[in-house]
């Protein structure tokens, strides 16, 4: 345990003169097709009212840095005793912290590095391009930045994100670019037959079907028993890096959810029955350097709306969680993925596992990247506590989401599980 002070942010007080220069810079940047979202322009009124000292900013300085409980997933393969101990340790962390970190998770470093490179490529595009309606062939609102409903420094997020629903992932441009056009025709992501290809279509079809079958067989046999988990991947095409990561994260999330369920007596196939790979999502975050890090957040305090989240972060740091009423910083570990319990697991476990409020603080000099995989049920799934008497009313994911949307609109805050207390 060490006392860790985030970069001293003295001198980042909004002063009217500097602020005007910032807005000016913002305009010049956007004219030059800059990558940064126009934060200054958008938050002009909020920043101005803070410059006039009408609003007291949140204080974001000087935090204790803690290491999260470390779960070594290779212990799941050592023997029945070690396996049981590992599962119990995971459960204990979910009860006491709502957060833990996992090592030997079988997601290769090489894939995590490629994912980060992919993120850099995505976010280094000009802002105008990122905010186009079908950026990367994704649905509207996949690219998000700041907080459109921010009313004060307290609910202002200095970050941008690409939120990819797993339903859309195979339609992404990044993925399509990796494959020849004729292949897209055959696997159904394009319905236009390339005219030049027509004469050799039959032959190509035959070849492609054979290749697909062989690839599928190869993946069925491909497994990784080296770490505590065993991936069996069944695919009919070459996945993109993002798709490959999402596939592994989904596999991992389901296993973690199942291990956590064992401690509570929840039936083994609960998650298989209620979650489908397309119900979850991957959110790639970028936190640009922020000129006022002591006054605003990278992501405002929140809990996650899912069963659990798997976070891959770089070494910059900034993730904080609320522990015993105080904010503490999570010490980044290059070998580990961070796991946190979401609202649905808290409801399902009847309040035993904790969906902890967390946030990301801003950094004046260094940009930060992270990717969060949100493991969610299908919209129709009704979440009901596994023990009685229940703390919460039962609710469907759809109802929960609708309630959040209402609350965010009305109050700027999602409110969350407390809405469903009995
Ligand atoms: C999130 C989140 C944490 C991080 O995207 O919900 O909490 O470290 N991210 O970026
Ligand atoms: Ni979160």
């Amino acid at each position: 345990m060490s006392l860790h002070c985030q970069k001293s942010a003295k001198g980042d007080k909004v002063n009217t003169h500097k602020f005007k220069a910032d807005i000016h810079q913002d305009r010049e940047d956007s004219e030059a097709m800059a990558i940064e979202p126009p934060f200054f322009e958008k938050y002009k009124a909020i920043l101005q009212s803070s410059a006039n000292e009408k609003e007291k900013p949140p204080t974001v300085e000087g935090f204790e840095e803690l290491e999260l409980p470390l779960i070594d997933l290779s212990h799941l393969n050592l023997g029945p005793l070690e396996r049981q101990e590992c599962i119990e340790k995971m459960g204990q962390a979910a009860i006491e912290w709502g957060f833990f970190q996992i090592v030997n998770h079988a997601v290769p470093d090489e894939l995590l590095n490629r994912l980060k490179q992919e993120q850099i490529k995505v976010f280094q595009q000009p802002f105008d391009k990122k905010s186009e309606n079908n950026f990367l062939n994704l649905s509207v609102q996949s690219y998000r930045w700041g907080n459109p409903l921010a009313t004060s420094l307290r609910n202002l997020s200095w970050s941008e994100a690409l939120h990819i629903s797993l339903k859309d992932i195979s339609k992404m441009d990044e993925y399509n670019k990796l494959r020849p056009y004729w292949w897209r025709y055959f696997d159904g992501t394009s319905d236009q037959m390339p005219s030049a290809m027509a004469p050799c279509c039959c032959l190509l079809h035959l070849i492609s079907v054979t290749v697909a079958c062989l690839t599928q067989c190869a993946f069925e046999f491909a497994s990784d028993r080296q770490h505590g988990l065993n991936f069996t991947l069944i695919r009919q095409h070459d996945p993109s890096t993002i798709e490959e990561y999402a596939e592994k994260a989904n596999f991992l999330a389901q296993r973690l959810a199942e291990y956590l369920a064992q401690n509570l007596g929840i039936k083994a196939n609960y998650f298989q029955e209620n979650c489908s790979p397309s119900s979850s999502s991957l959110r790639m975050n970028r936190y640009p350097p922020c000129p006022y890090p002591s006054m605003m957040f990278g992501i405002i305090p929140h809990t996650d709306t899912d069963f659990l989240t798997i976070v891959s972060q770089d070494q910059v740091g900034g993730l904080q969680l609320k522990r015993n009423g105080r904010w503490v910083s999570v010490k980044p570990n290059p070998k580990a993925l961070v796991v946190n319990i979401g609202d649905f697991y808290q409801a399902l476990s009847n309040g035993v596992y904790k969906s902890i409020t967390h946030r990301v603080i801003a950094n004046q000099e260094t940009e930060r990247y992270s990717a969060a995989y949100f493991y969610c049920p299908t919209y129709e799934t009704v979440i009901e506590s596994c023990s009685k008497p229940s703390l919460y009313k039962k609710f469907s994911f759809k109802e929960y989401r609708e309630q959040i949307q209402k609350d965010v609109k009305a109050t700027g805050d999602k409110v969350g599980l407390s809405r469903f207390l009995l």
Side-chain angles (χ1 to χ4, degrees):
M1 218 192 259
S2 68
L3 195 70
H4 170 83
C5 284
Q6 290 299 331
K7 159 131 196 36
S8 161
K10 289 181 193 83
D12 74 341
K13 184 174 175 314
V14 180
N15 101 26
T16 318
H17 187 67
K18 178 172 184 306
F19 169 57
K20 279 195 181 134
D22 283 338
I23 291 191
H24 184 69
Q25 186 61 46
D26 208 26
R27 282 206 190 107
E28 283 197 341
D29 285 354
S30 56
E31 276 158 23
M33 295 290 282
I35 66 157
E36 297 302 349
F39 289 113
F40 294 106
E41 194 72 39
K42 167 113 173 188
Y43 296 140
K44 195 154 84 178
I46 296 175
L47 289 166
Q48 230 144 20
S49 106
S50 157
N52 299 338
E53 313 233 326
K54 281 193 193 126
E55 190 200 336
K56 201 172 168 323
T59 356
V60 193
E61 278 181 274
F63 297 98
E64 205 178 349
E65 189 178 52
L66 297 179
E67 278 183 43
L68 294 175
L70 187 88
I71 312 292
D72 184 342
L73 296 184
S74 68
H75 288 199
L76 293 167
N77 271 359
L78 291 181
L81 224 81
E82 287 88 348
R83 183 183 171 84
Q84 192 49 33
E85 238 171 54
C86 179
I87 294 171
E88 278 168 20
K89 196 171 165 196
M90 213 184 290
Q92 213 47 42
I95 294 171
E96 287 170 17
W97 288 72
F99 270 77
F100 51 92
Q101 51 181 338
I102 50 174
V103 289
N104 291 320
H105 42 63
V107 182
D109 281 354
E110 174 274 324
L111 174 58
L112 291 167
N113 292 339
R114 264 194 288 136
L115 180 72
K116 171 138 188 224
Q117 291 315 311
E118 218 47 67
Q119 274 184 265
I120 295 175
K121 257 201 289 186
V122 166
F123 288 114
Q124 295 300 316
Q125 311 242 4
F127 171 71
D128 285 352
K129 187 140 188 240
K130 290 184 281 195
S131 38
E132 272 169 12
N133 262 352
N134 61 347
F135 177 53
L136 296 175
N137 207 22
L138 289 169
S139 53
V140 233
Q141 292 194 332
S142 293
Y143 174 67
R144 302 164 188 189
W145 63 279
N147 173 2
L149 298 167
T151 50
S152 74
L153 290 175
R154 266 160 226 287
N155 52 22
L156 187 159
S157 293
W158 201 272
S159 56
E160 54 179 344
L162 193 69
H163 199 102
I164 309 164
S165 157
L166 261 63
K167 286 193 285 290
D168 292 346
I169 210 160
S170 63
K171 287 189 258 151
M172 276 185 81
D173 268 358
E174 183 240 10
Y175 164 72
N176 278 335
K177 272 190 227 132
L178 295 175
R179 295 168 306 151
Y181 184 33
W182 59 266
W183 181 269
R184 278 193 262 159
Y185 169 70
F186 286 125
D187 81 359
T189 43
S190 163
D191 52 12
Q192 269 187 318
M193 183 194 289
S195 57
M197 300 308 292
C200 35
C201 259
C202 288
L203 183 61
L204 276 172
H205 197 179
L206 200 70
I207 297 171
S208 63
V209 168
T210 315
V211 170
C213 285
L214 290 173
T215 317
Q216 179 162 355
C217 290
F219 277 121
E220 275 178 27
F221 287 108
S223 64
D224 186 352
R225 289 182 178 277
Q226 180 191 355
H227 307 298
L229 294 164
N230 179 7
F231 289 131
T232 304
L233 304 176
I234 301 172
R235 291 194 216 100
Q236 295 183 357
H237 54 250
D238 255 357
S240 68
T241 297
I242 296 175
E243 196 181 14
E244 196 181 337
Y245 177 72
E247 220 168 47
K248 297 216 170 192
N250 190 66
F251 179 93
L252 186 54
Q254 187 186 319
R255 293 299 174 279
L256 293 171
E258 287 169 356
Y259 291 128
L260 286 163
Q262 282 185 27
N263 298 312
L264 303 168
I266 295 168
K267 61 177 187 171
N269 58 354
Y270 176 89
F271 295 96
Q272 240 168 28
E273 276 176 6
N274 293 300
C275 304
S276 83
S278 62
S279 55
S280 297
S281 56
L282 177 69
R283 184 184 159 103
M284 304 200 298
N285 295 307
R286 173 177 175 264
Y287 302 89
C290 169
Y292 312 116
S294 76
M295 305 176 63
M296 51 189 80
F297 302 113
I299 290 192
I300 57 171
H302 66 281
T303 58
D304 289 350
T305 307
D306 59 0
F307 282 121
L308 58 85
T309 311
I310 298 176
V311 180
S312 143
Q313 61 166 334
D314 60 23
Q315 296 309 293
V316 175
L319 175 60
Q320 297 191 328
L321 58 102
K322 203 131 193 214
R323 184 154 170 75
N324 305 325
R326 285 170 43 231
W327 286 105
V328 293
S329 292
V330 171
K331 187 173 176 170
N333 173 344
K335 289 270 160 252
L337 293 169
V338 170
V339 179
N340 64 282
I341 299 294
D343 297 347
F344 298 156
Y345 224 137
Q346 177 164 327
L348 176 68
S349 68
N350 208 10
V352 174
Y353 292 160
K354 308 290 185 316
S355 174
I356 293 292
T357 306
H358 53 285
R359 68 185 187 186
V360 175
I361 56 169
N363 186 306
Q364 194 155 21
E365 269 125 38
T366 319
E367 68 177 353
R368 172 176 185 265
Y369 286 91
S370 73
Y373 186 83
F374 299 103
Y375 185 58
C376 298
T378 57
Y379 261 24
E380 298 68 39
T381 300
V382 174
I383 318 272
E384 194 176 354
S385 304
C386 68
S387 61
K388 302 283 172 283
S390 298
L391 291 174
Y392 305 100
K393 282 180 246 178
K394 48 183 180 176
F395 57 82
S396 68
F397 181 9
K398 188 163 177 281
E399 281 168 304
Y400 196 78
R401 215 183 125 109
E402 283 166 2
Q403 186 63 53
I404 290 180
Q405 280 165 347
K406 255 192 245 162
D407 287 332
V408 167
K409 225 176 192 168
T411 68
D413 177 35
K414 89 167 201 184
V415 185
L417 262 188
S418 58
R419 276 263 180 245
F420 295 86
L421 275 169
L422 275 170

